[in-house]
C-alpha cells in the first residue's frame, strides 16, 4: 500500500510539473492568436423604398461587390419583407405545423426562390417587442430586374404561407420597423455568422424539463431535437430587453451539392456527436465475407466443386 501511495504522489507531481510548463506557452499562444476575417463582400450602396404615400416598406436594396476565386462579381440584391402580424393559438400548438412548413419550403425550392427570415427584438428607442418577418430575395445585375425577381418571389411566398396557414396574418413592414432594421444592419457592432441551422422540435412540449433530452440516454430519436435554441435565446434577450436581429437566409442548392456537403458535414461532426452523447461506435461491414463463406459451405456440403456443379447444371 505505501508503494502505491508513493507511485500516485509521483504521478501527481509529474502532472503538475507538466501543467506548469505548458500553461505559459498556451497563454502566449492565445494572446497572439487572431481570426482573419475575409474581406470578400463590399456594399457600395443601399436604400429603402416605400410604397407611395403609405408608410409601408416596399423593399430594401443593396449594391454589392463580391470577390471570390480572383474574380469580382457586381450585382444588386433586393429584399421584400412580410410582417407576421398574428399567429392563432391553435396554429402554434398544432402538431403538423412543421410538416406544413416543410411543404412550403419544398414548393419554394422548386420555384428557385431565395428566402429570408428575420426576427428582430426591438426595445430601443421604442419598445416594440419581437417582430418576425418572412421575405424573398432577388439577385440580378440590374436593380430593376432584382426588384422584379423579389416581387415574384414575395408573391409565391405569400401564397404558399397563406395556403398552409390560412389563419396567419401577413402585412407589409411599417416604416418605423423598416428604419430600425436598416439601421441595425448598418450599425450593430457585433455579428455572429453560422452556416447551417439546427432542426426544430417535432413534438409538443410536455411536463418534461428542457434539459431532459440532454440528460436522458438510450436510443437516438427526435427527443434530442426538442431544445429550441433560437426560442430560448430570444426569450433571454427579451427578458433583459436587449436589441437583437436574427437573420436566416435560405438559398436553393442542387441535390448533388447538398449530398456532398451533408456527407462532409457528417464526417466532420461525428466525433463531436460522440463526445456529446458520451459514447464511441464504429461500423464494420461483413455482408460480402458471409455471402462467400455461405456459398463455399453449400458447395462443400454437396461434395462437388464449383466447376462440377456448373457442369451438372448444364447437363
Amino acid at each position: 500500500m505505501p508503494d502505491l501511495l508513493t507511485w500516485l504522489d509521483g504521478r501527481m507531481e509529474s502532472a503538475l510539473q507538466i501543467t506548469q510548463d505548458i500553461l505559459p506557452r498556451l497563454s502566449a499562444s492565445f494572446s497572439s492568436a487572431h481570426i482573419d476575417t475575409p474581406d470578400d463582400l463590399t456594399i457600395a450602396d443601399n436604400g429603402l423604398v416605400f410604397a407611395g404615400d403609405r408608410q409601408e416598406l416596399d423593399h430594401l436594396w443593396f449594391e454589392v461587390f463580391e470577390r471570390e476565386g480572383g474574380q469580382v462579381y457586381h450585382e444588386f440584391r433586393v429584399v421584400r419583407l412580410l410582417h407576421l402580424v398574428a399567429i392563432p393559438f391553435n396554429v402554434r400548438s398544432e402538431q403538423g405545423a412543421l410538416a406544413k412548413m416543410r411543404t412550403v419550403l419544398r414548393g419554394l425550392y422548386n420555384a428557385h426562390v431565395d428566402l429570408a427570415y428575420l426576427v428582430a427584438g426591438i426595445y430601443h428607442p421604442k419598445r416594440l417587442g419581437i417582430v418576425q418577418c418572412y421575405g424573398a430575395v432577388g439577385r440580378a445585375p440590374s436593380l430593376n430586374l432584382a426588384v422584379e425577381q423579389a416581387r415574384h418571389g414575395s408573391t409565391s411566398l405569400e401564397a404558399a404561407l397563406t395556403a398552409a396557414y390560412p389563419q396567419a396574418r401577413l402585412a407589409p413592414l411599417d416604416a418605423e420597423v423598416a428604419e430600425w432594421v436598416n439601421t441595425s444592419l448598418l450599425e450593430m457592432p457585433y455579428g455572429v455568422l453560422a452556416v447551417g441551422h439546427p432542426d426544430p422540435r417535432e413534438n409538443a412540449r410536455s411536463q418534461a424539463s428542457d434539459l431532459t433530452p440532454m440528460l436522458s440516454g438510450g436510443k437516438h430519436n427526435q427527443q434530442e431535437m426538442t431544445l429550441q435554441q433560437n426560442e430560448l435565446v430570444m426569450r433571454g434577450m427579451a427578458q433583459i430587453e436587449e436589441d437583437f436581429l436574427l437573420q436566416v437566409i435560405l438559398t436553393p442548392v442542387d441535390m448533388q451539392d447538398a449530398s456532398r456537403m451533408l456527407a462532409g458535414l457528417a464526417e466532420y461532426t461525428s466525433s463531436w456527436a460522440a463526445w456529446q452523447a458520451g459514447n464511441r461506435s464504429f461500423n464494420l461491414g461483413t455482408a460480402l465475407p458471409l455471402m462467400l463463406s455461405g456459398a463455399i459451405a453449400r458447395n462443400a456440403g454437396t461434395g462437388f466443386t464449383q466447376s462440377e456443379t456448373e457442369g451438372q447444371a448444364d447437363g
Side-chain angles (χ1 to χ4, degrees), residues 259-302:
S259 300
R260 286 194 294 267
M261 287 189 290
L262 288 175
L265 182 63
E267 182 178 356
Y268 175 75
T269 58
S270 59
S271 58
W272 301 96
W275 293 344
Q276 181 184 11
N279 56 29
R280 297 292 180 90
S281 63
F282 66 93
N283 295 325
L284 180 63
T286 58
L288 186 58
L290 289 176
M291 291 172 60
L292 292 176
S293 62
I296 294 174
R298 286 195 298 271
N299 292 333
T302 58

Side-chain angles (χ1 to χ4, degrees), residues 116-300:
Y117 172 65
L118 271 67
V119 181
I122 306 176
Y123 300 98
H124 306 89
K126 184 178 179 181
R127 192 180 190 280
L128 299 178
I130 295 179
V131 177
Q132 299 186 60
C133 300
Y134 291 89
V137 183
R139 306 169 54 159
S142 65
L143 179 59
N144 292 334
L145 185 57
V147 171
E148 183 179 356
Q149 289 184 1
R151 285 177 177 168
H152 289 316
S154 178
T155 302
S156 301
L157 173 62
E158 185 175 7
L161 289 175
T162 303
Y165 308 98
Q167 296 180 345
R169 295 293 177 263
L170 300 169
L173 204 62
D174 60 50
E176 187 176 13
V177 177
E179 291 287 355
W180 186 95
V181 171
N182 184 61
T183 304
S184 300
L185 292 174
L186 296 176
E187 299 180 1
M188 275 190 170
Y190 305 108
V192 177
L193 174 64
V195 179
H197 195 272
D199 292 336
R201 64 179 173 89
E202 297 188 0
N203 56 332
R205 192 180 297 276
S206 62
Q207 299 298 326
S209 168
D210 286 333
L211 295 178
T212 301
M214 301 300 296
L215 299 178
S216 62
K219 297 182 179 180
H220 298 281
N221 50 35
Q222 295 178 353
Q223 294 291 332
E224 296 179 355
M225 300 301 179
T226 56
L227 289 178
Q228 293 180 297
Q229 296 96 330
N230 293 338
E231 180 180 343
L232 295 177
V233 172
M234 294 173 195
R235 288 179 179 178
M237 299 291 282
Q239 183 67 27
I240 61 176
E241 295 194 355
E242 187 71 26
D243 292 348
F244 68 90
L245 179 62
L246 169 67
Q247 302 179 74
V248 181
I249 301 174
L250 299 90
T251 301
V253 179
D254 292 338
M255 294 304 297
Q256 295 181 351
D257 296 335
S259 300
R260 286 194 294 267
M261 287 189 290
L262 288 175
L265 182 63
E267 182 178 356
Y268 175 75
T269 58
S270 59
S271 58
W272 301 96
W275 293 344
Q276 181 184 11
N279 56 29
R280 297 292 180 90
S281 63
F282 66 93
N283 295 325
L284 180 63
T286 58
L288 186 58
L290 289 176
M291 291 172 60
L292 292 176
S293 62
I296 294 174
R298 286 195 298 271
N299 292 333

Side-chain angles (χ1 to χ4, degrees), residues 16-176:
L16 289 173
Q17 184 64 36
I18 293 174
T19 303
Q20 292 175 357
D21 295 339
I22 292 177
L23 283 178
R25 287 181 287 175
L26 289 177
S27 178
S29 300
F30 291 150
S31 61
S32 60
H34 64 280
I35 300 177
D36 294 329
T37 303
D39 184 16
D40 56 357
L41 182 66
T42 301
I43 300 178
D45 198 4
N46 75 299
L48 290 79
V49 177
F50 294 91
D53 297 334
R54 297 176 297 173
Q55 294 298 309
E56 297 176 350
L57 178 69
D58 186 76
H59 63 267
L60 298 89
W61 63 271
F62 303 87
E63 182 182 4
V64 300
F65 291 88
E66 187 173 0
R67 291 172 290 276
E68 185 176 356
Q71 301 292 327
V72 179
Y73 303 93
H74 172 254
E75 69 176 6
F76 288 89
R77 299 179 185 177
V78 174
V79 183
R80 285 177 56 89
L81 296 175
L82 297 173
H83 180 196
L84 184 61
V85 179
I87 306 176
F89 181 78
N90 61 337
V91 174
R92 288 182 291 179
S93 59
E94 185 179 350
Q95 290 289 322
L98 290 176
K100 291 182 178 179
M101 180 53 70
R102 289 195 185 97
T103 303
V104 172
L105 295 177
R106 189 177 297 112
L108 295 173
Y109 169 83
N110 294 330
H112 303 285
V113 177
D114 289 5
L115 299 178
Y117 172 65
L118 271 67
V119 181
I122 306 176
Y123 300 98
H124 306 89
K126 184 178 179 181
R127 192 180 190 280
L128 299 178
I130 295 179
V131 177
Q132 299 186 60
C133 300
Y134 291 89
V137 183
R139 306 169 54 159
S142 65
L143 179 59
N144 292 334
L145 185 57
V147 171
E148 183 179 356
Q149 289 184 1
R151 285 177 177 168
H152 289 316
S154 178
T155 302
S156 301
L157 173 62
E158 185 175 7
L161 289 175
T162 303
Y165 308 98
Q167 296 180 345
R169 295 293 177 263
L170 300 169
L173 204 62
D174 60 50
E176 187 176 13

